[in-house]
Amino acid sequence: MNRSNKRNNLFHIKWMSKISIAILLSFSFCSFAQQKIPPPPVKSAKKTHTTQSNDTTSKGSWSSEKPTLKTSRNQHINIGYGETYQKLPKLIFETADEAEFLSLEKKKYIETFKPEGEGNYFYIQTRLKKHKFKKYNDYGGKLGWSGYEFSGYYAATKLYAITEHSTSENINFSQLFLLDSLNGYNYNIISFGDASVALPVPSINNKYFVYFYNAVYDHKNCDIGILKINDKSNPKTYLSEYASYRSADFAVEKIIWKTDNSFIVKGYEEVYENNQWIKKYKFFKTEFK
């Protein structure tokens, strides 16, 4: 074999070696690319509670940090359930006039003041102990709008009025309760809706409480409840449901007692006029035995 042929054979061998290496590298890369790379982990959704809004215990549990209320569980009395009111007498209303409403004495029935507080908490001192409440505020994140709000003190019946707030799925829920300053009993007034009921108004001689709840998404709907104030010797039955009323004709602006067994309501209906909602007032009265 001459020198020219040897050179050609050597060149051919080198060229074939390069092709083999290229094919091997290409095959290795393709095999790696075909391997399945696992996707990043997905955060699991947190479970939400779906209890009814009138369950004040479960509503408090929606927040991961429940405001502190140092009261024994057997001293918590729930009153005002709709099922209970359905079995009791219904109020009967008739129309009244504004002059009669304005003639009634406007009695101050609750004392308002700023309770003792420190930081994010306020304190209510009863005869037995000091109660600690986390102030109502926007705490952000999971807590949202939560905490307690002090509304006043009924001197005649020795009851503090306090509202508990909680948040679930960006919706605010609230519950009004009365804390007895003598024995520490807590009377939760079950709301007719998501928000708390209005502050109860005591009758002339503190024989009854009347309170109301206006429907949030309606313009002339309300619920009215009456609680009988009993002998405090048995705290568990101190307050009891007595009568109620559900209206699709008016919402409530204000209630003033005429006697211990009768009161007049300043009611209204919201109507849309001239590009705004305005209230049109009517007056209603009732008497019960």
Side-chain angles (χ1 to χ4, degrees):
M1 183 179 294
N2 58 33
R3 184 176 299 177
S4 175
N5 289 336
K6 288 183 178 179
R7 187 183 297 113
N8 290 336
N9 289 337
L10 181 62
F11 174 78
H12 180 73
I13 292 171
K14 290 182 178 180
W15 183 77
M16 291 299 294
S17 299
K18 289 182 180 180
I19 292 177
S20 299
I21 293 172
I23 292 173
L24 180 62
L25 290 175
S26 177
F27 177 79
S28 299
F29 176 79
C30 291
S31 299
F32 175 79
Q34 289 176 356
Q35 293 180 1
K36 292 185 179 179
I37 301 175
V42 179
K43 293 182 179 179
S44 59
K46 294 185 177 180
K47 295 182 180 180
T48 56
H49 295 275
T50 56
T51 47
Q52 294 180 353
S53 63
N54 61 358
D55 185 346
T56 183
T57 303
S58 58
K59 286 194 298 185
S61 65
W62 282 326
S63 296
S64 59
E65 183 183 349
K66 182 174 174 59
T68 305
L69 173 57
K70 295 182 178 179
T71 304
S72 173
R73 298 308 303 175
N74 60 11
Q75 291 180 306
H76 282 245
I77 308 298
N78 294 324
I79 51 177
Y81 283 113
E83 296 85 349
T84 304
Y85 275 129
Q86 289 177 5
K87 303 172 186 177
L88 296 172
K90 301 297 181 289
L91 299 172
I92 299 175
F93 281 89
E94 60 183 56
T95 56
D97 54 55
E98 184 176 7
E100 186 177 7
F101 178 82
L102 295 176
S103 68
L104 300 179
E105 181 182 1
K106 297 172 180 61
K107 178 183 175 182
K108 183 179 179 180
Y109 55 86
I110 192 168
E111 299 175 4
T112 56
F113 56 88
K114 187 176 181 179
E116 175 190 356
E118 181 181 5
N120 288 330
Y121 296 89
F122 68 89
Y123 306 94
I124 297 296
Q125 180 67 58
T126 65
R127 188 176 66 177
L128 301 177
K129 66 175 72 173
K130 179 180 286 189
H131 300 263
K132 180 181 179 182
F133 301 92
K134 193 169 187 179
K135 294 178 182 178
Y136 173 54
N137 204 345
D138 182 5
Y139 295 98
K142 301 175 185 177
L143 291 177
W145 292 90
S146 64
Y148 292 85
E149 195 171 20
F150 178 72
S151 299
Y153 178 65
Y154 295 92
T157 51
K158 312 299 182 187
L159 297 170
Y160 292 103
I162 302 169
T163 303
E164 177 188 359
H165 299 272
S166 60
T167 301
S168 176
E169 298 179 354
N170 297 320
I171 300 176
N172 187 29
F173 297 87
S174 55
Q175 185 82 45
L176 176 73
F177 65 90
L178 305 177
L179 176 63
D180 196 307
S181 64
L182 300 180
N183 55 33
Y185 268 73
N186 180 331
Y187 301 95
N188 293 311
I189 302 180
I190 303 302
S191 178
F192 296 100
D194 293 336
S196 62
V197 300
L199 280 174
V201 183
S203 65
I204 303 298
N205 295 299
N206 296 289
K207 293 185 177 181
Y208 299 94
F209 274 125
V210 62
Y211 61 94
F212 66 87
Y213 177 88
N214 290 329
V216 177
Y217 302 108
D218 295 303
H219 303 287
K220 56 175 184 176
N221 296 67
C222 73
D223 287 273
I224 298 174
I226 293 182
L227 300 175
K228 191 176 187 303
I229 302 175
N230 302 301
D231 190 340
K232 195 172 280 193
S233 60
N234 186 355
K236 292 185 178 181
T237 59
Y238 175 54
L239 298 177
S240 58
E241 301 89 343
Y242 191 80
S244 67
Y245 180 77
R246 170 161 288 186
S247 172
D249 300 316
F250 64 88
V252 177
E253 179 86 6
K254 192 173 184 179
I255 295 177
I256 299 181
W257 287 90
K258 185 176 181 179
T259 68
D260 276 318
N261 298 90
S262 64
F263 58 84
I264 299 181
V265 174
K266 181 179 182 180
Y268 67 87
E269 175 186 354
E270 285 186 307
V271 296
Y272 193 72
E273 292 182 356
N274 300 322
N275 296 321
Q276 61 180 342
W277 288 99
I278 62 172
K279 293 180 179 180
K280 294 198 172 182
Y281 294 99
K282 292 183 180 180
F283 298 86
F284 306 88
K285 60 184 177 181
T286 187
E287 185 174 0
F288 58 91
K289 295 181 179 180

